[in-house]
Amino acid sequence: MKTTSKAALLAAVTGMVFAAQTSGAFAQRSLFDILFGEQPRVDRRGATLEGPVGAAPVTNGARASSSRAPADFDGSDPDPLPTVKKSQYFTYKPEAQRPVKVPASAGPVVTGSVSSDGTAAPLAPVSVSLRAEDSIASAMESFYAKGDTYLWITNEAVTDRARAAAAVLQKAAEVGLNPADYKVDEPILSGDPAADRQKLMTFELEMTKAVLTYVQDDVRGRIDPNRISDYYEFKRKDVNLKGALAIMQRSPDVAAYLSSRDPSSPQFQALKAELARESGAANNDQKPRIEVSLTSLLRPGQSNPELPKIIELIKQHGSDGLKAENAMTLESYTGSPDYAPELVDVVKAFQKEKGMKPDGVIGKSTVRALQGGDSQGNKVNKLIYAMEQARWLPNDLGSRRVFINQPAFMVYYFNDNKQQLAMKVVVGGVNHQTNFFQDQIETVEFNPYWGVPRSIIVNEMLPKLRQDPSYLDRMGYEVSVRGKVVSSSALDWGRNPDVDVRQPPGNANALGQLKILFPNKFSIYMHDTPQKSFFARDMRALSHGCVRLSDPRAMAAAVLGVDKDKVAADIATGKNMSVPVPSKIPVYVAYFTAWPNAEGKVEFFDDVYGRDTYLQRAMDATTKARAQG
């Protein structure tokens, strides 16, 4: 860049800093507010992403491209700008299936298999070609190694225990599974001994495969979430399928055993009960649902032909008190598309009643509330997705735990299985999504440094630094290379220096006064923020990936087992300090568009990241692969 251009940029940056300082705003604004705030970044769904956030040295599992330490400038062109790769979604690949190597068997002795002279006819070996996932194939191979052990057939027919097991498989939808994945048709015997032996053995093996698949799916879920995206991080549960076969061989009630494999957590049971209710409602005749189609926000004073539908929905879903208070307006409304002031007041009242920001602006969240939430069909799907994802988590979430539900933009603290805290959070924007994983809270850090994430250094700061290397020094940020503190203006940013940047503690620190750490490969954590205004928004997917807390002192006090006065005193020292929690606490950084609240009532939320769509694709791919196997 020409020298004059650098000078111009430097002057502009200096002016911005000076203006912020003289206006008194400097203490409330961070480096990114001042340098990058003049052009808000907008994600692909139109959400504004503002300000610095506490993501990690590499957010969202990102990997930095190779970089080098500073080198003497040799006059050549600077290295191309590197980038830090973001997490991504994959084309889902179901579990591979392989041949099941069961020894060829004579099969069951079918009545009538005698020769013309009355002696037993020699039995030709029966061979069944079958493919299954490796874990299932291995369990079957071990069980049938002797070649004469059968679970579901006798010498002549299918057993009642087989029919009892099949009845459970046919009701798989009640626990959020797909009955098509476990369908096995009972054979129709013809009286031909050879043909019937083949049919019975085929049924035996296919039934065993179906039952084992059901048991495995019921315990750990159908889908490997790590194959959907690297936004997920889960170790799949181990399921003892060999032990399951041994139990079923001895059990007098196979159906009861299969049902016992359902997750027993109160959260799963609440989802299951809600699925039964919503499935019944979806199958019954319902009053036609009013669908509102807004392509943009409807603001006061504007006109839109969808407005009559909106007013009708308020009549349907507003409280009796709201309708009584606004009876004159509602009764006199003639269906005009003009969003007049008196109608704005009605909408504001409805928004306030639903716990939303009462601004009278009608957007996606307001329409969803007006329609009473999702349709029955959407609710059923969200419940199925939630039940699948619940299987990825421990059956017992822990009597003391922290549970973050990203689509709800909320975090909850439980002690002795009782919810003691619930507060609003800000999570990652669509372009900086917060991951889905579980971990353990280990420490609370007061007056933290903000270690600027590698992704922000590379993707957002480096282009600016190449134009003006000194601004980090002016803003008080610390720059180090391999642990040695250096001046940012002394570095050759044209050579992609491998540096660390951090913001010291203070009022403008991006992490506020504290952060709560649960070390993970995504370097996501919970923290305070100076940008309190974000908590007034309904849609709070606005950060670079970390989780901002609306009441961080309350959460810190809860996990440390102290009162808020103690937290305030630690902050008041102004010293950077890390305090370990007395005992590690499970934390779930979760993503559920349907989840029960503290009273057990299932609530539904918008799919802010579109992850339900990817999960559905994975389910479809799995069912297709199993049908072909």
Side-chain angles (χ1 to χ4, degrees):
M1 174 177 286
K2 295 181 180 179
T3 305
T4 53
S5 298
K6 290 183 179 179
L9 177 63
L10 176 59
V13 172
T14 304
M16 292 166 62
V17 174
F18 177 76
Q21 290 172 321
T22 56
S23 67
F26 182 76
Q28 299 301 321
R29 303 186 71 202
S30 70
L31 170 68
F32 275 80
D33 290 312
I34 296 170
L35 288 178
F36 305 136
E38 68 275 21
Q39 294 293 331
R41 291 171 293 109
V42 179
D43 69 27
R44 63 185 174 86
R45 295 193 181 191
T48 303
L49 306 177
E50 301 176 40
V53 292
V58 180
T59 56
N60 297 338
R63 296 173 292 279
S65 60
S66 61
S67 57
R68 290 177 262 178
D72 292 334
F73 185 60
D74 60 6
S76 62
D77 291 334
D79 289 347
L81 285 171
T83 59
V84 172
K85 185 179 179 182
K86 294 182 179 179
S87 296
Q88 59 186 319
Y89 292 96
F90 311 130
T91 299
Y92 189 80
K93 295 182 179 179
E95 295 280 348
Q97 300 193 57
R98 68 168 177 83
V100 181
K101 300 175 183 178
V102 174
S105 169
V109 178
V110 178
T111 302
S113 57
V114 295
S115 63
S116 57
D117 61 3
T119 61
L123 298 173
V126 176
S127 179
V128 177
S129 178
L130 190 69
R131 296 176 64 85
E133 297 170 12
D134 182 68
S135 56
I136 294 168
S138 296
M140 292 179 67
E141 289 163 355
S142 176
F143 184 79
Y144 289 107
K146 297 178 181 180
D148 58 357
T149 301
Y150 308 123
L151 281 171
W152 317 111
I153 59 175
T154 64
N155 286 343
E156 299 182 337
V158 171
T159 64
D160 288 340
R161 66 190 280 115
R163 296 187 179 96
V168 175
L169 303 188
Q170 290 167 6
K171 295 188 293 183
E174 295 179 4
V175 290
L177 300 175
N178 185 356
D181 288 357
Y182 324 104
K183 181 176 174 55
V184 180
D185 293 325
E186 184 174 331
I188 299 175
L189 303 181
S190 64
D192 180 331
D196 288 350
R197 285 201 309 274
Q198 183 69 43
K199 290 178 181 179
L200 288 170
M201 277 304 297
T202 299
F203 175 81
E204 168 75 21
L205 297 181
E206 288 182 344
M207 189 66 184
T208 301
K209 172 188 171 181
V211 167
L212 290 181
T213 302
Y214 178 89
V215 168
Q216 185 164 266
D217 289 352
D218 204 17
V219 173
R220 74 177 191 182
R222 286 175 277 172
I223 305 303
D224 181 351
N226 308 303
R227 297 186 182 195
I228 296 177
S229 171
D230 45 9
Y231 283 118
Y232 297 91
E233 173 71 8
F234 289 98
K235 182 184 181 300
R236 296 200 81 185
K237 297 174 183 175
D238 294 322
V239 185
N240 185 358
L241 297 180
K242 293 180 182 179
L245 285 176
I247 292 172
M248 286 186 284
Q249 187 179 27
R250 299 190 303 268
S251 175
D253 190 346
V254 173
Y257 170 74
L258 292 176
S259 297
S260 73
R261 304 313 301 263
D262 298 346
S264 59
S265 70
Q267 296 82 15
F268 186 91
Q269 292 302 315
L271 293 168
K272 178 182 176 182
E274 186 68 15
L275 179 62
R277 285 190 291 270
E278 293 296 342
S279 296
N283 293 329
N284 294 331
D285 292 331
Q286 299 290 310
K287 186 176 181 179
R289 179 179 168 90
I290 298 175
E291 297 291 345
V292 176
S293 300
L294 288 180
T295 57
S296 61
L297 296 176
L298 176 55
R299 301 180 184 277
Q302 294 181 338
S303 181
N304 194 290
E306 296 293 293
L307 188 60
K309 296 180 182 178
I310 291 169
I311 301 304
E312 180 59 32
L313 285 169
I314 290 178
K315 294 177 180 179
Q316 287 187 14
H317 299 294
S319 68
D320 291 340
L322 181 149
K323 287 184 283 190
E325 186 175 342
N326 297 276
M328 184 175 296
T329 299
L330 293 173
E331 290 173 5
S332 62
Y333 176 63
T334 59
S336 169
D338 297 330
Y339 193 20
E342 64 272 15
L343 297 176
V344 174
D345 290 340
V346 176
V347 171
K348 285 182 178 179
F350 180 84
Q351 290 172 327
K352 184 177 181 180
E353 186 172 82
K354 296 298 182 182
M356 306 171 69
K357 183 179 180 180
D359 55 10
V361 177
I362 302 174
K364 184 177 180 181
S365 297
T366 300
V367 168
R368 188 169 180 272
L370 286 164
Q371 292 179 320
D374 295 275
S375 67
Q376 263 80 32
N378 286 341
K379 287 181 178 179
V380 166
N381 288 337
K382 287 184 175 183
L383 289 164
I384 291 171
Y385 303 145
M387 294 168 80
E388 170 68 24
Q389 292 168 164
R391 291 180 166 101
W392 305 344
L393 301 177
N395 191 44
D396 182 358
L397 298 179
S399 62
R400 189 177 183 217
R401 64 186 182 274
V402 172
F403 193 91
I404 301 164
N405 192 11
Q406 298 170 52
F409 306 119
M410 293 290 293
V411 59
Y412 311 91
Y413 170 75
F414 291 83
N415 190 22
D416 195 22
N417 274 320
K418 297 181 177 63
Q419 181 179 298
Q420 295 187 347
L421 274 180
M423 70 181 69
K424 294 179 179 180
V425 298
V426 171
V427 299
V430 174
N431 291 333
H432 301 277
Q433 298 179 20
T434 302
N435 299 70
F436 186 173
F437 63 101
Q438 65 188 77
D439 216 288
Q440 291 184 316
I441 295 174
E442 296 185 5
T443 57
V444 177
E445 183 177 343
F446 296 106
N447 303 307
Y449 284 84
W450 177 42
V452 182
R454 180 67 181 166
S455 59
I456 293 179
I457 295 172
V458 172
N459 294 342
E460 301 181 29
M461 295 176 67
L462 190 55
K464 300 283 186 179
L465 284 163
R466 285 189 168 182
Q467 297 170 12
D468 175 20
S470 64
Y471 75 80
L472 289 178
D473 294 334
R474 292 197 311 276
M475 297 300 298
Y477 277 61
E478 296 180 4
V479 180
S480 61
V481 178
R482 293 189 294 273
K484 181 180 180 181
V485 177
V486 298
S487 167
S488 75
S489 60
L491 295 178
D492 177 10
W493 295 96
R495 288 303 183 194
N496 306 339
D498 187 5
V499 302
D500 293 313
V501 179
R502 67 176 185 171
Q503 183 186 29
N507 290 334
N509 186 279
L511 307 185
Q513 297 174 328
L514 64 85
K515 62 180 179 179
I516 300 173
L517 298 169
F518 35 98
N520 56 86
K521 78 173 190 178
F522 310 113
S523 296
I524 285 174
Y525 43 87
M526 296 184 287
H527 66 88
D528 185 16
T529 176
Q531 295 170 310
K532 306 297 185 184
S533 62
F534 283 1
F535 296 109
R537 301 187 183 186
D538 295 323
M539 204 292 291
R540 296 189 291 276
L542 301 164
S543 83
H544 271 74
C546 279
V547 179
R548 307 182 194 181
L549 301 171
S550 59
D551 191 355
R553 294 188 180 194
M555 184 61 74
V559 300
L560 288 172
V562 300
D563 58 35
K564 291 179 72 172
D565 289 342
K566 169 60 176 169
V567 171
D570 287 338
I571 292 171
T573 67
K575 296 179 181 179
N576 172 250
M577 66 175 78
S578 292
V579 180
V581 298
S583 58
K584 294 180 180 180
I585 303 170
V587 57
Y588 302 91
V589 186
Y591 191 93
F592 287 91
T593 53
W595 193 250
N597 60 23
E599 290 74 40
K601 177 178 174 56
V602 175
E603 299 176 332
F604 297 87
F605 311 101
D606 288 338
D607 184 11
V608 64
Y609 295 153
R611 288 185 181 168
D612 284 352
T613 298
Y614 291 98
L615 180 54
Q616 183 62 61
R617 290 176 185 172
M619 291 178 174
D620 292 343
T622 297
T623 294
K624 181 178 179 180
R626 289 175 173 179
Q628 294 174 342

